[in-house]
Amino acid sequence: MRDSTRFASWLARSKFRSSARGSFSSYSVARPTILLVFLALLIGLPLGGCSLNANPAVRPGRVHPLSWTGVASWYGAKYHGRTTASGRVYNMNELTAAHKTLPFGTRLEVTHQSNGRRVVVEITDRGPFIGGREIDLSYEAARQLAMVAEGVAKVRLSKLD
C-alpha cells in the first residue's frame, strides 16, 4: 500500500478527520484567523526585516543619558590576551570596559561613588552578563578606582563622546 493511501485511510479513521463545523471548507473562525496571521506576517516582514546595523547588540534609537549610575565589576587575568567583541585583544592593563549596548569606542568617565576616584575608559567589549551590573571594567581601571578588593562598586558613568 502506498504511503499516501495509507495516510488517507488513517485520516479517515482518526479523530482528525474534518467535520462540517470544523473544516476549512466552511466559513469558520479558522479561515479569518489564518488570513489575519498571513496579512500580519506579510506586512511585518518588510518593516522589521533587514537592518544596516553591523552590531546587533547596539540597538539603533536607544539613547543613553549623558550621566547615570550603576554597579561596576571588573575582569582581569582570565581574559587577558583573548579577543573582545570589538575584535581588539583584551589587555587587563589598559583602561577599557565592557557594556551591553554602548557603541565600541565610546569613552566614559567612571566615578567611584564611595571614594570619589575617577578614570576614563573606552568601551571595547560586551557585558557584563550578570544581572544588576551596568559595566565591566578592566583590571587597571578597577585598580585606579580602588575597587579590586571589593569586586563590585556603585559608580557614576558620564558619557564623554
Side-chain angles (χ1 to χ4, degrees):
M1 186 182 271
R2 297 177 64 194
D3 286 338
S4 60
T5 314
R6 196 175 304 154
F7 176 74
S9 63
W10 171 82
L11 187 60
R13 291 188 315 269
S14 73
K15 64 180 180 179
F16 296 108
R17 65 182 176 264
S18 63
S19 65
R21 201 165 84 192
S23 71
F24 287 109
S25 61
S26 68
Y27 288 99
S28 64
V29 178
R31 182 170 279 179
T33 304
I34 289 174
L35 183 61
L36 286 175
V37 169
F38 175 73
L39 287 175
L41 287 172
L42 187 66
I43 292 169
L45 286 177
L47 295 178
C50 297
S51 173
L52 297 176
N53 189 359
N55 187 354
V58 178
R59 295 179 200 105
R62 178 165 178 177
V63 178
H64 288 276
L66 294 177
S67 179
W68 68 99
T69 60
V71 176
S73 54
W74 64 273
Y75 62 119
K78 180 178 177 183
Y79 299 97
H80 185 74
R82 292 187 184 182
T83 304
T84 63
S86 68
R88 288 178 47 181
V89 174
Y90 174 68
N91 183 345
M92 62 187 249
N93 299 310
E94 291 179 350
L95 296 175
T96 60
H99 191 271
K100 291 177 195 158
T101 58
L102 285 173
F104 296 131
T106 302
R107 291 173 10 129
L108 296 175
E109 181 181 65
V110 182
T111 306
H112 193 295
Q113 295 283 31
S114 298
N115 62 23
R117 291 184 179 211
R118 297 173 183 211
V119 67
V120 175
V121 297
E122 180 183 351
I123 302 297
T124 61
D125 204 0
R126 292 289 169 229
F129 300 108
I130 296 174
R133 296 187 188 175
E134 183 71 19
I135 193 166
D136 261 343
L137 302 170
S138 66
Y139 169 79
E140 181 61 21
R143 190 189 67 74
Q144 288 187 21
L145 291 174
M147 62 169 276
V148 172
E150 303 168 52
V152 295
K154 180 108 172 159
V155 295
R156 171 162 287 290
L157 304 168
S158 301
K159 194 173 176 182
L160 299 178
D161 295 337

